[in-house]
Amino acid sequence: ILAVSICIAFPIFSSAQEKLTSLGDQTAVAVTIYNENLALIKDQRKLTLDKGLNDLAFRGVSAQIRPETALLRSLDPNNKLHVLEQNFDFDLLTPQKLLEKNTGKQIRFSSINPATGIETIQPATVLSTNSGVTLKIADKIITNPNGSYIFDQVPDNLRDQPTLVTKLTSSTNKQQTVELGYLTGGLSWKADYVAELNSDDSRLDLTGWITLNNRSGTSYNKAKLQLVAGDVNQVQPQTRNRGRVAMMEMKTMADSSVVEESLFEYHLYSLNRQTDLANNQTKQVSLLSVSSVPVKKEFLLQGNNYYYGSSYGEIGQKMKVGVFVEFNNSKQAQLGLPIPKGIVRVYKNDSKGNAQFIGEDNIDHTPKNEDIRLKLGDAFDITANMKQTDFKKARYFAPHHAAFESAYEIEVKNAKSEPVTVTVREPVPGDWKIIKESHTHIKSASATAEWQVTIPAESSTKLQYRVLVQY
């Protein structure tokens, strides 16, 4: 086993003339996180620069900073900063990096004689660091030696943490507050929701959580946190197009913990308190909590359009009937708030009062007064059999070039102890007309016929219809 250690005679992470600022100088930080792994950081610090030219090492920035978006400015109106150039040093100090940076150079190598315990320090040249370490010591080539590598200094472009190095001029040598703003990856957020249905599936309680993930390589302490919901355009692989802020009616969510407002064509959620976002941390913040939201439950049998132009006979046995719940995002339903996209997980209490998971679905960004529809799964006790009972060519009229007449029977079975109503939705192609039916249909869309079929308890009902389709 290769056993090595690294010794640095005197650590130098910057040149003697370089000014250093770290998180200890930070006075405030604001973090705005977007949906697609993007965040805007505004980092304020107090520091003292020389009047005139300075090299400033801004330590503690995100490891995924987009340096081309960085903007450094003084917040003191009487002081002026002028940035001449900037470099982002993301090559971090590790034993392997130190060896790589010294390839072809002479270092010192320390080894201990296991028999005598005497330490020997010899000059050594690093020949290679590929698939191990190769040194030249005196006239010998040694691979993967056991011992310690001794370096006199750290290369200027090798840092112990991500650092933005800026060459700038300052109009004063007095202490001032500066702000570094930049876009970065590594920060993301999502919304998660938990809904609990009541006993008769007529209402639900809804709780929303914001889940934050910080993988940016630095921490944000006592941060002012804001979240943007919406699909913000981004020029790949550069930065996102951020619109102007249009301040409109503000809404308070989840007992005043989060405030919502309009931001251009998006929605901005602001946490009403400071929070810490540690590196490599997942944090949850309450978003909303409402109770007794009216819901509508629906059983849906969704058909296909392929069997209207050919003879198929048996189409499906024990076809699945989907189970959906739907509610309106309105004030009348206890909501009326812009709801960010996320996953809604639905629970219901069993006969003993224990909450049981009954399904989940994704929702998109939903403005107020829009419906939210969730598919929770397929019904166990409701099934359907479908067959084509007749098919023949029919007479067609211009501008059509073909016509078919076909008949169908859909038997819907209900094993429940109470009656249910199933929506049967059939996408019918071409120019179509229902010429005979056992239940009255509605034309819910240009290519969709829809029936409401009620099935008594522990019984079945047959839907029969004949349709003329012209192409």
Side-chain angles (χ1 to χ4, degrees):
I1 299 174
L2 177 64
V4 296
S5 61
I6 298 293
C7 297
I8 302 173
F10 47 96
I12 299 177
F13 297 106
S14 63
S15 64
Q17 297 78 25
E18 194 174 72
K19 302 285 187 180
L20 291 177
T21 176
S22 64
L23 291 178
D25 303 321
Q26 193 177 76
T27 58
V29 62
V31 180
T32 303
I33 308 177
Y34 298 79
N35 281 123
E36 297 88 7
N37 189 35
L38 181 78
L40 171 65
I41 309 298
K42 291 188 175 179
D43 185 344
Q44 295 181 12
R45 302 185 186 186
K46 280 192 177 295
L47 51 86
T48 302
L49 299 173
D50 294 333
K51 185 175 182 180
L53 189 64
N54 294 264
D55 288 324
L56 175 64
F58 213 98
R59 289 157 50 88
V61 298
S62 166
Q64 298 188 42
I65 182 177
R66 298 180 179 177
E68 71 277 9
T69 69
L71 175 63
L72 182 65
R73 63 192 182 102
S74 176
L75 298 184
D76 296 344
N78 297 326
N79 299 335
K80 291 183 179 180
L81 292 182
H82 180 56
V83 178
L84 303 176
E85 64 177 59
Q86 60 189 21
N87 304 288
F88 176 49
D89 292 342
F90 54 87
D91 218 2
L92 298 185
L93 175 64
T94 65
Q96 180 65 24
K97 287 291 184 182
L98 267 175
L99 286 166
E100 290 176 3
K101 295 294 183 182
N102 283 276
T103 300
K105 299 178 181 179
Q106 190 175 87
I107 61 171
R108 287 177 289 162
F109 182 74
S110 171
S111 61
I112 296 178
N113 188 313
T116 64
I118 297 175
E119 180 185 24
T120 302
I121 298 177
Q122 306 173 76
T125 302
V126 182
L127 299 180
S128 173
T129 59
N130 295 324
S131 301
V133 179
T134 304
L135 299 182
K136 182 179 181 181
I137 300 177
D139 58 350
K140 296 180 180 179
I141 306 297
I142 303 175
T143 61
N144 297 329
N146 291 326
S148 300
Y149 304 108
I150 301 174
F151 302 88
D152 291 330
Q153 63 180 13
V154 175
D156 290 340
N157 60 348
L158 200 60
R159 304 274 177 171
D160 62 334
Q161 58 182 272
T163 303
L164 185 71
V165 181
T166 302
K167 187 179 290 293
L168 54 83
T169 59
S170 173
S171 62
T172 181
N173 58 2
K174 297 180 180 179
Q175 188 181 64
Q176 59 182 303
T177 301
V178 301
E179 180 185 81
L180 177 66
Y182 59 89
L183 293 174
T184 179
L187 285 159
S188 62
W189 75 279
K190 64 176 182 174
D192 291 282
Y193 304 91
V194 175
E196 184 174 330
L197 279 171
N198 65 357
S199 58
D200 62 358
D201 303 332
S202 63
R203 293 182 179 272
L204 60 77
D205 297 338
L206 183 66
T207 302
W209 290 91
I210 294 170
T211 302
L212 305 164
N213 282 287
N214 180 12
R215 300 291 184 269
S216 68
T218 192
S219 298
Y220 307 91
N221 301 318
K222 297 182 179 179
K224 177 183 177 183
L225 180 64
Q226 295 179 298
L227 311 168
V228 175
D231 300 318
V232 184
N233 185 54
Q234 181 184 2
V235 179
Q236 298 292 341
Q238 300 297 321
T239 62
R240 297 181 184 267
N241 177 23
R242 299 181 61 252
R244 63 182 178 86
V245 175
M247 300 297 292
M248 298 179 67
E249 180 184 7
M250 301 180 71
K251 299 181 183 296
T252 302
M253 310 172 72
D255 299 326
S256 301
S257 63
V258 176
V259 174
E260 178 273 331
E261 65 187 80
S262 293
L263 171 69
F264 189 57
E265 295 303 319
Y266 318 114
H267 285 273
L268 180 70
Y269 300 85
S270 301
L271 190 64
N272 269 348
R273 55 183 173 78
Q274 293 178 334
T275 189
D276 294 335
L277 281 176
N279 188 38
N280 294 324
Q281 183 186 61
T282 297
K283 178 187 288 284
Q284 283 194 308
V285 177
S286 179
L287 174 63
L288 61 84
S289 181
V290 293
S291 59
S292 196
V293 178
V295 300
K296 180 177 69 175
K297 184 179 179 181
E298 182 185 29
F299 297 104
L300 174 65
L301 178 62
Q302 178 72 46
N304 294 287
N305 64 4
Y306 68 87
Y307 38 73
Y308 288 94
S310 300
S311 177
Y312 277 92
E314 294 292 339
I315 294 173
Q317 295 291 322
K318 292 188 177 179
M319 299 168 64
K320 298 290 187 180
V321 176
V323 183
F324 295 81
V325 294
E326 184 176 297
F327 56 94
N328 188 257
N329 181 21
S330 63
K331 287 185 178 180
Q332 293 80 359
Q334 325 302 327
L335 288 167
L337 299 164
I339 296 180
K341 66 181 179 182
I343 297 176
V344 182
R345 296 172 176 89
V346 184
Y347 297 81
K348 184 175 179 177
N349 288 338
D350 59 21
S351 59
K352 297 180 180 179
N354 299 316
Q356 303 293 343
F357 176 67
I358 59 173
E360 66 182 15
D361 201 1
N362 282 297
I363 62 170
D364 203 350
H365 298 302
T366 306
K368 62 181 181 180
N369 300 323
E370 290 285 337
D371 290 332
I372 296 176
R373 183 176 171 85
L374 309 173
K375 181 176 182 180
L376 300 184
D378 294 318
F380 185 92
D381 293 320
I382 306 171
T383 59
N385 300 328
M386 183 176 184
K387 62 183 178 181
Q388 189 183 71
T389 58
D390 190 23
F391 180 84
K392 62 184 178 181
K393 290 185 178 181
R395 185 180 177 185
Y396 60 88
F397 302 92
H400 304 101
H401 62 273
F404 304 99
E405 184 180 313
S406 53
Y408 302 88
E409 180 182 278
I410 302 175
E411 183 181 18
V412 186
K413 299 179 180 180
N414 174 24
K416 288 177 174 289
S417 57
E418 69 270 359
V420 296
T421 298
V422 174
T423 300
V424 178
R425 186 172 296 153
E426 283 290 317
V428 189
D431 184 357
W432 60 276
K433 179 182 179 182
I434 303 292
I435 56 179
K436 188 178 180 180
E437 59 187 345
S438 60
H439 296 68
T440 302
H441 80 283
I442 63 169
K443 191 174 184 177
S444 57
S446 62
T448 305
E450 195 171 287
W451 294 266
Q452 297 294 319
V453 180
T454 299
I455 307 97
E458 299 181 0
S459 184
S460 66
T461 300
K462 291 182 179 180
L463 166 65
Q464 297 170 326
Y465 65 96
R466 180 176 290 270
V467 60
L468 173 67
V469 177
Q470 298 185 80
Y471 297 95

